[in-house]
Amino acid sequence: MGRVVGHILFQIARIAAGVAFFCAALSLPVYFFGTDCALLDAAGNFKDSPAKVVKAYLDTSKPSVAMFLASATDLSDETFSAAEKSFKKNPKMRAAGGDEPFFEAFYSTLGVDPSAPKQSCFYEILALTEHRKKLYEFLAQSDFETVRRIIALRDMNPSIFPPVSSAAGAPLSSAILTSALLTQSGFATPALVRSISDLISRAEDSDTEPFERFGMSILSFSKRLDWVELGLLVSQFDSTESLYDFALIVQQSPSEADARALIAYVFLCGNPSAAADYLRGRPEKYRKAFSYALCRGEGALDLLFELDKPLYRPSALSRALKHLGLPVFGSALDSACARNPQLFLVVKTLLCILAGYLIVRGLLNLAVPRRDTPKWFSPLSLMRGLFEGTLFAIVVFAFLEPVMFKADVAPKAVQAPVFSLSKIVNTVKDEGMKFEMDSTNIMVLVIFFLLQFIIYVIGLIKISSIRRSGVSAKVKLELLGNESELFDMGLYVGLWGTVLSLVMLSLGIVEASLMTAYMSTLFGILFTAILKIINVRSYRRKLIMECSRAAAAADTVQKRQ
């Protein structure tokens, strides 16, 4: 009786240890297919916050940039008050959006009151023919060879824009003059100037389309930004191709707020290619993650780009089990996970596997006290426990992250826009969706494989149990035949997996290929064949030979008697 009670208490302690490890795993805010908000909050403290960057722009006489960034990061009220004080102190900054002497020299030729309410964007300044004429005359005095070559393109025969000389030539004229003014003002980096020079040379040889595409990108930003904002944005690019690519990403934004968030990111961090790589061809949930990280600062954005995942959306199970986590570590644990997310994801996986092993083995041993392996640390027992724990971990992550069985539908690509970059042509299929589809299929295949492997190990353990039973070969042979249904269980589970997968596919619960559903049956056939042909058949043959030898020995003894 005492031994039974000890066995029960030991298994309960094993289950309790498994639950403790499971709680420890749940407390780690790291996931395979999402980025937890707690990680981004913690990573935001690693670098300067948006508030510090906004203050730096105010201190360097760029109030419009400060207001733009503050608006995108929910810091509007105090920043707008400080910016308005700067404008009142120096009214000449209002038109440009900041202290920009070269722009003020041009703007003074327009005869506009500097303290008048500013236009919403730089393009509005050039909307009047008279203003474009004044800017042309202003730039014609430049000693910069590249500037003179740019404004000379007003006479080219364009392939996308209407000619400057036509009644609809204002967009191309504005794009050319804005590009020239950006170059003259020094906002264009040396690398960008070289790239522009290459486009000019091609346009001079009648290949005007590349320069016109560059003009489109300049035009699209000039319709959103004032002069200082436009100049600061352009200064972050080293080639016309990257500028055009970023303009397409901005134009693809589902809302104006998302487009402004992208531009605000450049003001906050620079390196526009990182944001373009993260968002290109991705569904809207990636933009939501981007906007959330933007409000937390450069550190959060760096982590988001490193993990390359959308925000984690808690499942019903994770919300129900949230109270089982270990909140004692708090922000310290979040910060540690943010610094080493991959390491802690491995730790979380190992904790789930260990928890699964302890919980599953504890429950099974409570239900069936008799041991079916010689020792708990025997190879077969450990292998079975490992795969039981792995299957438990996969099931847990499947409920914590049901998105692993969903395939993202990529947005339609933007290509070859006209003037405002608003024409969308669906000709490019994104490769990101293929990766997610592949990951879904692989996850389903791994689950089927582990199920069949566990069943295979159970069969090996049963054969080992019969081998150690201590009865005669004839009885062992009968026991082996009695387990034929158990040895066929792989086929039954394989067929069940295929039928269940087809039902779930038809209901849209799981989005994977039909091939993964049929692989369940294939794995069942494969492992059942291995078990029955290699293991059961060879052991049955051995028992038959032993029975034959025993019968022959018995006949010999009987004859001697």
Side-chain angles (χ1 to χ4, degrees):
M1 182 67 179
R3 187 175 181 180
V4 173
V5 173
H7 172 77
I8 293 175
L9 292 177
F10 178 76
Q11 301 307 324
I12 292 175
R14 172 184 277 186
I15 295 172
V19 172
F21 283 119
F22 183 57
C23 292
L26 290 180
S27 70
L28 300 178
V30 287
Y31 300 93
F32 284 99
F33 295 93
T35 303
D36 197 285
C37 293
L39 288 190
L40 298 179
D41 294 342
N45 298 322
F46 298 163
K47 292 187 177 181
D48 289 342
S49 65
K52 289 185 178 180
V53 179
V54 166
K55 186 177 184 304
Y57 280 126
L58 288 172
D59 292 342
T60 54
S61 298
K62 293 182 175 64
S64 68
V65 178
M67 288 192 297
F68 192 102
L69 181 56
S71 177
T73 55
D74 300 329
L75 301 171
S76 303
D77 295 339
E78 294 182 2
T79 304
F80 278 27
S81 300
E84 189 59 32
K85 289 180 181 178
S86 297
F87 286 138
K88 288 181 179 179
K89 185 177 180 180
N90 188 355
K92 291 184 178 180
M93 291 197 306
R94 193 177 294 276
D99 186 12
E100 182 53 44
F102 197 87
F103 175 86
E104 292 174 9
F106 151 68
Y107 198 71
S108 64
T109 65
L110 303 181
V112 180
D113 183 4
S115 61
K118 64 173 289 187
Q119 289 84 356
S120 60
C121 61
F122 179 73
Y123 183 78
E124 289 188 1
I125 296 177
L126 300 183
L128 297 177
T129 304
E130 182 64 25
H131 289 182
R132 294 196 299 275
K133 181 179 178 182
K134 291 283 188 180
L135 180 55
Y136 175 75
E137 294 173 351
F138 181 79
L139 293 170
Q141 304 173 26
S142 174
D143 294 329
F144 199 166
E145 177 65 22
T146 303
V147 172
R148 293 200 299 269
R149 292 178 66 196
I150 293 175
I151 62 177
L153 294 179
R154 286 162 52 89
D155 298 327
M156 70 179 178
N157 185 23
S159 59
I160 299 176
F161 284 95
V164 172
S165 58
S166 67
L172 179 57
S173 177
S174 297
I176 291 174
L177 293 173
T178 303
S179 303
L181 186 59
L182 286 167
T183 305
Q184 179 65 51
S185 301
F187 284 119
T189 64
L192 182 59
V193 171
R194 290 193 297 272
S195 183
I196 294 173
S197 297
D198 292 340
L199 298 188
I200 295 172
S201 298
R202 295 177 64 177
E204 291 171 344
D205 293 334
S206 300
D207 183 12
T208 62
E209 185 171 340
F211 183 87
E212 291 180 74
R213 290 185 179 275
F214 166 66
M216 289 179 190
S217 58
I218 294 295
L219 200 60
S220 68
F221 289 127
S222 69
K223 290 183 177 181
R224 284 189 167 95
L225 307 173
D226 63 27
W227 176 249
V228 170
E229 294 166 348
L230 179 62
L232 183 60
L233 177 70
V234 170
S235 68
Q236 302 300 318
F237 294 88
D238 292 330
S239 69
T240 56
E241 292 81 4
S242 61
L243 181 62
Y244 180 72
D245 181 61
F246 188 75
L248 290 178
I249 300 295
V250 171
Q251 185 62 33
Q252 196 179 17
S253 301
S255 67
E256 183 62 22
D258 289 321
R260 293 177 68 84
L262 264 170
I263 297 172
Y265 160 75
V266 180
F267 295 155
L268 179 66
C269 308
N271 191 21
S273 61
D277 293 340
Y278 177 75
L279 295 174
R280 185 182 295 109
R282 296 290 181 78
E284 187 176 352
K285 61 183 179 180
Y286 282 82
R287 292 185 178 272
K288 292 181 180 178
F290 176 81
S291 298
Y292 184 89
L294 178 69
C295 295
R296 272 68 192 170
E298 186 177 357
L301 287 162
D302 289 345
L303 178 63
L304 183 70
F305 297 157
E306 176 189 348
L307 297 178
D308 197 28
K309 303 169 187 175
L311 283 181
Y312 171 66
R313 292 183 297 175
S315 63
L317 177 64
S318 63
R319 290 193 297 269
L321 298 178
K322 188 175 181 180
H323 65 281
L324 293 179
L326 302 178
V328 66
F329 297 105
S331 59
L333 180 62
D334 295 340
S335 180
C337 291
R339 293 186 184 279
N340 300 283
Q342 304 299 342
L343 173 62
F344 279 93
L345 185 58
V346 172
V347 171
K348 183 173 187 174
T349 303
L350 294 177
L351 287 173
C352 280
I353 293 174
L354 181 57
Y357 168 72
L358 294 173
I359 293 173
V360 173
R361 279 293 95 202
L363 291 174
L364 290 178
N365 288 342
L366 279 177
V368 184
R370 185 172 60 85
R371 178 177 293 281
D372 54 3
T373 56
K375 299 290 183 181
W376 71 267
F377 51 83
S378 64
L380 280 178
S381 180
L382 291 178
M383 186 179 299
R384 178 182 61 185
L386 172 63
F387 281 93
E388 287 172 348
T390 303
L391 186 61
F392 175 87
I394 290 177
V395 172
V396 167
F397 279 111
F399 279 100
L400 291 178
E401 301 185 73
V403 70
M404 70 171 61
F405 296 110
K406 298 289 184 179
D408 287 333
V409 179
K412 296 180 180 180
V414 178
Q415 187 181 19
V418 177
F419 302 160
S420 63
L421 303 179
S422 60
K423 300 286 186 179
I424 297 178
V425 181
N426 181 25
T427 58
V428 180
K429 186 168 182 177
D430 183 73
E431 296 296 324
M433 177 177 156
K434 294 182 180 178
F435 170 78
E436 299 229 4
M437 285 291 290
D438 290 344
S439 67
T440 302
N441 291 334
I442 291 173
M443 184 61 65
V444 175
L445 290 177
V446 168
I447 292 175
F448 288 153
F449 180 85
L450 288 175
L451 274 173
Q452 292 295 336
F453 196 90
I454 291 173
I455 294 171
Y456 174 71
V457 172
I458 290 174
L460 293 181
I461 291 175
K462 179 55 66 176
I463 294 173
S464 176
S465 176
I466 294 173
R467 184 182 288 115
R468 301 190 321 272
S469 61
V471 296
S472 65
K474 183 178 180 181
V475 175
K476 288 181 180 179
L477 193 60
E478 292 178 358
L479 290 175
L480 195 66
N482 187 58
E483 302 295 343
S484 59
E485 287 80 8
L486 174 66
F487 298 144
D488 290 334
M489 187 168 63
L491 286 176
Y492 307 144
V493 173
L495 289 172
W496 168 81
T498 295
V499 173
L500 181 63
S501 298
L502 292 175
V503 171
M504 296 178 74
L505 283 170
S506 65
L507 295 177
I509 299 174
V510 174
E511 297 180 7
S513 67
L514 287 174
M515 187 59 65
T516 57
Y518 298 128
M519 287 298 291
S520 176
T521 300
L522 179 60
F523 284 147
I525 295 172
L526 178 64
F527 279 99
T528 301
I530 293 173
L531 179 65
K532 299 193 72 172
I533 294 174
I534 297 178
N535 302 110
V536 176
R537 182 175 176 273
S538 61
Y539 185 53
R540 180 181 283 116
R541 181 180 181 278
K542 179 180 177 181
L543 292 176
I544 291 173
M545 296 298 294
E546 289 181 4
C547 288
S548 177
R549 287 194 294 268
D555 290 341
T556 302
V557 171
Q558 187 175 7
K559 289 178 181 179
R560 287 179 180 178
Q561 292 177 352

